[in-house]
Amino acid sequence: MFVFVLILLSIAIIVIKWYLARIYASLYWCWDNGNEEKRIFIDTDDVSFPQSFLWGTASASYQCEGPGDRAPTKSNWSEWEPQHIKRGQQCGIAVDHYHRYKEDIELMSTLGCNAYRFSLAWDKIEPIEGQYDQDVLGHYHDVLRELHRQSIVPMITFHHFVHPLWFEERSSFLNSTNSSAFIRFSVDMFKEFQDECHLWCTINEPEVYVSGGYFTGIFPPGRKSQPNEASLVLQNLLQAHVDIYDGIKSIARQPDQHSIGIVKDIFQFDPYHPLNPLDVYISRLLDYAMNGCILDFFRTGSFKWTMPGSTPRTFTNSRAPHTNDFIGLNYYSHFLVRFNPFKPSSFEIVHRQDDSGPSLMTDMAYPLYPEGLYRACVRLKDELPRVPIYITENGIADRCDDRRHLFLRRYLYALSRAINEAGCDVRGYFYWSLTDNFEWAEGYDMKFGLYDVNLQTQERTLRDGAKYFQQVIQKHRAKYQKKIT
Ligand code: FCB
């Protein structure tokens, strides 16, 4: 009898372990890990993309423009910078994209790009509440004109982490009555540019804005561990998205011609040990707080946010499921979460340095994880069926330029597989970023650019590792060119 129970118990344990490992283990493909037995040759040249695919680069005004023709305007970020950026750095004139946009658009064209995602600088456009600066609006008309001249499709973002100081001073999105100013700004900008742009992103990475500003405190307003404020800000951002969508559609001259979406970053939280229930529990919790609750809101119209030690937040908005003509996916990597009772938060983010996963790190504190891009696309397809996807950001910080080539090869391969194998409706890919730029709390230490920029001379040089991007675009576009001629 005892032996029988023991056998049953062993079988049960094996089955449970197998089941948990299947459900919770991160996906890893065997690229070429030096282990002959496990080696499966992945042919990263085997990629294909839809004919009408958009190939572009992405940027945010604050990170690349510089102040332009005026004295620097005051924003949440301009006030935050002193003492908060690595090694005391400041954004300054950045890569002076405000003045060099023609040169930069020419570089895009040289790469073969047919799209460009950029954000409008709300702080420059409306430095004083209710007064739009016509010269700055004129500047963006010039940018759009130049893009069209080079046959590059524009995609505009209304909020990419930065807003005017007057908005910050009244607690920005912490106070729901403030959202009306942002909604009014976004709808006005749509009115202004609707003849020149058809792709619109409302808000960039709401959960990153929230976690930086109200959890880790590395973004303004620098609040730390404030879950109740965080969830309220998230609620107000998501509600603002819905109102902007409806506002634009109700005034657009040709509503069907315009696609509007939110930009969601998916950074998966995976358990370090898929067989450790505590690792699994914490990673699920974090993943839901950062990703799941937002996707659920857009799928069902109901938002539920809960974190141990905070007041759960719930609300509904039946319009939400109808307010994304596309979803912008920013994808970089994943985090492995391990339970650690000695940490104040009871967990830590760790990196795996063995052959069961990628050990190659980017200069940011996360690894190369192309499989995650595949997973993120599949997740969006499953959770928001019929909503097309644009990869609105994906890129690598690689100071030595010794991983960029591999990064591009593998992530583009993963993307192609998501489209062709998993049937994800991905319509475009925007690399972050054309040039190096001001990487928020990290300052200029992180080199994401396809082009290296000498900040003294502003000279741009294409990095060797970036050439693969150019090759893929050109090969891909030539393929269809041939079919047409
Ligand atoms: C994203 C941000 C973008 C840039 C990249 C590296 O989270 O949207 O502005 O900083 O990371």
Side-chain angles (χ1 to χ4, degrees), residues 159-209:
H159 191 274
H160 196 127
F161 299 164
V162 180
H163 44 246
L165 188 60
W166 57 260
F167 187 72
E168 181 72 1
E169 280 174 346
R170 30 158 125 140
S171 308
S172 62
F173 293 101
L174 195 52
N175 183 341
S176 62
T177 55
N178 291 336
S179 298
S180 58
F182 173 56
I183 297 162
R184 185 255 309 139
F185 166 77
S186 306
V187 175
D188 282 351
M189 290 308 107
F190 173 82
K191 272 190 213 149
E192 179 79 28
F193 298 112
Q194 64 176 318
D195 294 332
E196 294 138 282
C197 181
H198 293 191
L199 288 170
W200 308 88
C201 303
T202 53
I203 297 163
N204 183 68
E205 301 183 345
E207 77 295 343
V208 172
Y209 171 84

Side-chain angles (χ1 to χ4, degrees), residues 60 63 160-161 204-205 208 330 332 393 432 439-440 448:
Q63 293 176 273
H160 196 127
F161 299 164
N204 183 68
E205 301 183 345
V208 172
N330 289 358
Y332 290 91
E393 282 181 33
W432 183 274
E439 179 47 40
W440 309 117
F448 276 94

Side-chain angles (χ1 to χ4, degrees), residues 20 23 59 108 114 210 313 333 338 373 375 459 461:
L20 286 176
I23 305 240
S59 72
M108 294 171 203
N114 58 357
V210 162
R313 185 172 300 281
S333 184
R338 184 162 63 189
L373 176 57
R375 284 172 60 196
E459 198 187 334
T461 315

Side-chain angles (χ1 to χ4, degrees), residues 27 264-270 283-297 299 327 329 331 333-334 371-387 389 418 422-426:
L27 171 72
K264 175 77 190 83
D265 155 280
I266 294 190
F267 228 104
Q268 296 101 352
F269 289 83
D270 290 326
S283 63
R284 294 293 103 181
L285 203 70
L286 291 169
D287 198 79
Y288 190 77
M290 293 292 280
N291 300 316
C293 66
I294 297 177
L295 299 180
D296 273 2
F297 176 64
R299 192 182 66 249
I327 185 105
L329 169 62
Y331 190 82
S333 184
H334 72 159
E371 294 89 333
L373 176 57
Y374 176 92
R375 284 172 60 196
C377 290
V378 172
R379 179 169 183 184
L380 287 180
K381 171 180 168 258
D382 292 346
E383 299 202 20
L384 301 173
R386 290 179 299 283
V387 180
I389 303 165
C424 299
D425 180 6
V426 184

Side-chain angles (χ1 to χ4, degrees), residues 210 215 226-228 230-232 234 288-290 293-294 303-307 310-315:
V210 162
F215 265 113
Q226 299 296 328
N228 296 333
S231 62
L232 179 58
L234 188 54
Y288 190 77
M290 293 292 280
C293 66
I294 297 177
F303 179 91
K304 287 189 203 75
W305 195 90
T306 149
M307 268 285 175
S310 73
T311 320
R313 185 172 300 281
T314 57
F315 65 93

Side-chain angles (χ1 to χ4, degrees), residues 463-477:
R463 291 198 159 97
D464 280 343
K467 292 182 180 153
Y468 181 72
F469 185 54
Q470 186 175 30
Q471 282 162 23
V472 172
I473 304 179
Q474 295 187 349
K475 205 164 138 193
H476 172 82
R477 296 189 68 189

Side-chain angles (χ1 to χ4, degrees), residues 132-276:
Y132 293 142
D133 184 322
Q134 295 304 321
D135 292 342
V136 177
L137 291 177
H139 163 77
Y140 287 116
H141 282 295
D142 291 345
V143 172
L144 287 160
R145 199 168 307 117
E146 187 63 16
L147 288 170
H148 287 297
R149 201 179 68 77
Q150 298 268 21
S151 306
I152 294 180
V153 173
M155 176 186 263
I156 287 180
T157 308
F158 296 127
H159 191 274
H160 196 127
F161 299 164
V162 180
H163 44 246
L165 188 60
W166 57 260
F167 187 72
E168 181 72 1
E169 280 174 346
R170 30 158 125 140
S171 308
S172 62
F173 293 101
L174 195 52
N175 183 341
S176 62
T177 55
N178 291 336
S179 298
S180 58
F182 173 56
I183 297 162
R184 185 255 309 139
F185 166 77
S186 306
V187 175
D188 282 351
M189 290 308 107
F190 173 82
K191 272 190 213 149
E192 179 79 28
F193 298 112
Q194 64 176 318
D195 294 332
E196 294 138 282
C197 181
H198 293 191
L199 288 170
W200 308 88
C201 303
T202 53
I203 297 163
N204 183 68
E205 301 183 345
E207 77 295 343
V208 172
Y209 171 84
V210 162
S211 66
Y214 300 87
F215 265 113
T216 59
I218 60 166
F219 281 11
R223 308 272 296 149
K224 285 196 179 135
S225 307
Q226 299 296 328
N228 296 333
E229 292 182 6
S231 62
L232 179 58
V233 172
L234 188 54
Q235 167 171 355
N236 290 335
L237 286 168
L238 297 179
Q239 297 280 39
H241 164 83
V242 174
D243 290 345
I244 293 168
Y245 182 96
D246 284 344
I248 287 181
K249 291 284 173 165
S250 68
I251 56 118
R253 277 195 286 275
Q254 295 177 295
D256 297 344
Q257 299 292 307
H258 294 276
S259 294
I260 306 160
I262 197 160
V263 172
K264 175 77 190 83
D265 155 280
I266 294 190
F267 228 104
Q268 296 101 352
F269 289 83
D270 290 326
Y272 182 71
H273 280 300
L275 300 181
N276 179 337

